[in-house]
Amino acid sequence: MTQSIDLSLSPTGGNAVATVRITPELIEFHKRRARELRTESYRSWIRRGVALFRSKADRQQQIDCADAAWLARG
């Protein structure tokens, strides 16, 4: 197996000027970047979920405080 792949960017493969050399380092870079992006996406999703639950709890607390103030006025 070769250490690099010459990939033509032409659909027919006839354009020798537009080729890309794919090396193991390039593949590892893209794998690592994909893992980083996936992790960032999961963290963002979790932060949005936590923020959603916190905002619901804050709204419920505001309602509870308003009810308590109304009951205190009697």
Side-chain angles (χ1 to χ4, degrees):
M1 191 163 148
T2 62
Q3 288 295 321
S4 66
I5 300 169
D6 289 326
L7 179 66
S8 173
L9 300 178
S10 170
T12 60
N15 189 355
V17 175
T19 60
V20 176
R21 184 165 297 245
I22 299 174
T23 62
E25 294 83 15
L26 182 63
I27 293 171
E28 287 303 316
F29 167 78
H30 285 288
K31 283 182 180 180
R32 186 178 65 248
R33 184 67 180 135
R35 282 191 296 270
E36 291 169 356
L37 290 172
R38 193 177 308 114
T39 301
E40 182 181 334
S41 175
Y42 289 152
R43 287 179 180 163
S44 175
W45 182 80
I46 289 170
R47 281 193 297 267
R48 285 192 311 255
V50 168
L52 176 67
F53 290 125
R54 282 185 179 166
S55 67
K56 284 184 178 181
D58 289 345
R59 283 194 301 261
Q60 186 58 43
Q61 184 179 11
Q62 289 172 355
I63 291 170
D64 291 344
C65 289
D67 289 344
W70 180 79
L71 289 172
R73 285 188 295 218

